[in-house]
Amino acid sequence: MFDLQSYLEDRRGMVGRALDEAMPLETTRPAVLHRAMRYSVFAGGKRFRPILCLASAEAAGTGVEKALVPAISLEALHTYTLIHDDLPCMDDDVLRRNKPTCHVVFGEANALLAGDALLTLAFEWLGTVQAPPPYPPCQLVLELAQAAGSQGVIGGQVEDLAAEGCQPSADLVDYIHTHKTGDLIRAAVRMGVIATGGSEEVLNALSGYAANLGKAFQIADDILNATGGEKALGKPTGTDAQRKKATWVAVHGLDASRRMASDLADRALTCLSPLRGHTEPLRALARYTVERAC
Ligand code: IPE
Ligand code: IPE
Ligand code: MG
Ligand code: MG
């Protein structure tokens, strides 16, 4: 029987060690910048995107080794998005992963620059890895750049901020969730397949899995912001309603949001049915996405 808890612990350990080895030391000049980068990267995140990347490599039929650098690149880039997301000019949050946010500890300018440096570092690492055939060698860099850019995460963040205080439509929240969160989750899955040279058939099936999962992940985040406890989540709750954020819950209500997240997880699972590889971790991660308490 597959044990998700021990799988997650094992993978978190693997990702944490690889990040620790790859990141500049705290003492490296400029020390304040490297301290800020390490503070946020090692603050206790779930490592969901790197774990998903490794699990996708497993499902594509090869070992996880070749997906490890892409996996840590995803976490570096994800951490940059969180540091910037918490800044006073964005969501203005003071708590993340049960710790004061990066700008609270290091000041706004250093937090901004730590985010910039993590974004850059993600591509420095990824630039050392060539995708194997049937993919062009630069495909991993392209996947991450497209997911993170103006038509991906950043585009989603822009519309998320612009929608604050307005009455959002279902279409608008769909756009926001697909891009601010879904695109990086989709890239995590695709990069796991691409790094190991998985077939395009597997890539297409897993892209469908990831598109459903990415949206479900952000719907769960919205539900937890409305219903969860600050201690368990490690970040402030009730803030979306206070700031009139464009969330799934604001548009569809809590009950329908729960149902829709669960339907999306089911759809993600259906996308896995043609695969013959080791898909148990991906299945468990889909259920975890909508059942998690933090
Ligand atoms: C939080 O992501 C931001 C969203 C896109 C919802 P996670 O819930 O993965 O945060 P960490 O990395 O575990 O802190
Ligand atoms: C975060 O969305 C999305 C990105 C950081 C790209 P939210 O603002 O809803 O996430 P939390 O609740 O602060 O983690
Ligand atoms: Mg935000
Ligand atoms: Mg936020």
Side-chain angles (χ1 to χ4, degrees):
M1 193 43 201
F2 180 75
D3 177 2
L4 180 66
Q5 277 323 310
S6 55
Y7 178 84
L8 290 177
E9 261 169 50
D10 176 75
R11 290 293 189 246
R12 277 180 197 137
M14 183 187 278
V15 169
R17 284 189 296 278
L19 280 164
D20 191 30
E21 267 172 41
M23 283 191 62
L25 296 175
E26 285 196 346
T27 47
T28 302
R29 188 173 174 181
V32 66
L33 178 68
H34 296 120
R35 276 208 311 280
M37 290 161 72
R38 280 184 166 262
Y39 174 83
S40 289
V41 168
F42 297 106
K46 292 184 287 295
R47 311 297 196 206
F48 182 69
R49 294 148 193 83
I51 291 172
L52 206 48
C53 178
L54 299 174
S56 302
E58 264 181 286
T62 47
V64 297
E65 204 51 44
K66 287 187 190 137
L68 197 52
V69 172
I72 63 169
S73 302
L74 284 153
E75 188 66 8
L77 193 135
H78 166 62
T79 307
Y80 126 71
T81 71
L82 297 183
I83 294 174
H84 283 196
D85 183 71
D86 290 331
L87 285 170
C89 59
M90 294 192 69
D91 289 351
D92 193 13
D93 275 321
V94 295
L95 195 74
R96 164 84 57 193
R97 297 165 167 176
N98 268 319
K99 293 186 165 184
T101 43
C102 193
H103 66 271
V104 169
V105 180
F106 296 94
E108 263 183 67
N110 283 328
L112 185 78
L113 292 164
D116 292 343
L118 284 169
L119 166 61
T120 311
L121 192 55
F123 284 100
E124 183 183 329
W125 290 340
L126 212 47
T128 67
V129 186
Q130 290 200 344
Y135 304 100
C138 62
Q139 190 61 30
L140 290 163
V141 173
L142 276 181
E143 294 282 335
L144 191 61
Q146 282 166 355
S150 64
Q151 294 175 70
V153 174
I154 297 175
Q157 288 285 64
V158 167
E159 299 241 350
D160 172 286
L161 291 172
E164 249 182 66
C166 309
Q167 182 53 47
S169 64
D171 274 357
L172 176 60
V173 179
D174 194 275
Y175 177 92
I176 291 171
H177 287 29
T178 298
H179 296 295
K180 79 169 181 177
T181 301
D183 284 347
L184 195 57
I185 286 177
R186 185 166 170 275
V189 167
R190 288 176 58 87
M191 285 162 69
V193 177
I194 292 166
T196 54
S199 72
E200 296 198 45
E201 209 183 342
V202 171
L203 183 64
N204 288 336
L206 286 193
S207 298
Y209 163 87
N212 288 303
L213 193 71
K215 211 179 287 177
F217 190 89
Q218 184 60 46
I219 298 173
D221 189 80
D222 291 351
I223 294 171
L224 289 168
N225 189 281
T227 62
E230 179 169 306
K231 190 88 198 101
L233 276 180
K235 56 188 182 184
T237 50
T239 48
D240 288 341
Q242 272 162 32
R243 294 181 198 133
K244 298 192 168 55
K245 289 293 257 187
T247 66
W248 212 269
V249 175
V251 173
H252 300 280
L254 261 178
D255 289 346
S257 296
R258 286 200 181 100
R259 261 197 319 276
M260 289 161 108
S262 164
D263 286 351
L264 285 162
D266 287 345
R267 263 182 254 163
L269 292 176
T270 307
C271 295
L272 297 177
S273 38
L275 299 192
R276 268 176 241 103
H278 182 43
T279 55
E280 198 50 57
L282 288 181
R283 288 180 190 283
L285 286 165
R287 286 188 292 270
Y288 162 85
T289 295
V290 290
E291 287 166 8
R292 68 200 169 96
C294 63

